[in-house]
Amino acid sequence: MGERRKTPRIRITKEVTVSPLEREVFLEVKALDLGEGGMRLLSPEEFPVGTTLFFTIEVETDDGIVDIQGEGNVIHVKPAPAGGYEIGLTFSYLPDLEREKLQELMLLQRYSAPSP
């Protein structure tokens, strides 16, 4: 199966706080990869496809530690090999300032990654 993403992803292991928009609950999950269009999460809780999640991820940029906040829609869910669920999230709302932070992170990660 070929790559379906429109934007590249970087491998990242960061804690992400998510909250379904219809519930007042916050859950700590782990980002497995991240791109300008979405991210893949490892979650102890299963979220149905179509669920909208508010997310906050803390990342390091040239300006120091910053939060990236937005909303994403769950587009796929599958059981993770080590337990929990892998969740594919496509960004549905990412303000321009948050997108700029994400783009800076992507550039920093690409240029700091060791050459193959």
Side-chain angles (χ1 to χ4, degrees), residues 22-112:
E22 64 275 357
R23 293 185 0 219
E24 291 260 341
V25 62
F26 293 91
L27 183 65
E28 293 294 322
V29 301
K30 187 170 296 235
L32 301 174
D33 63 36
L34 178 65
E36 290 182 38
M39 65 181 140
R40 185 168 50 106
L41 304 171
L42 179 61
S43 172
E45 184 175 326
E46 182 177 14
F47 294 103
V49 169
T51 301
T52 299
L53 299 175
F54 175 79
F55 66 86
T56 302
I57 182 170
E58 190 177 85
V59 296
E60 191 169 339
T61 68
D62 283 341
D63 296 328
I65 304 291
V66 297
D67 285 344
I68 297 175
Q69 297 181 340
E71 293 175 11
N73 294 324
V74 175
I75 57 171
H76 68 80
V77 179
K78 68 179 183 178
Y85 300 89
E86 284 188 22
I87 296 174
L89 198 67
T90 185
F91 298 147
S92 56
Y93 177 70
L94 196 62
D96 289 342
L97 180 58
E98 304 303 287
R99 190 169 302 280
E100 289 171 15
K101 293 177 198 175
L102 181 57
Q103 289 168 343
E104 181 181 346
L105 172 68
M106 299 289 292
L107 283 173
L108 286 172
Q109 291 292 322
R110 279 192 211 127
Y111 289 113
S112 66

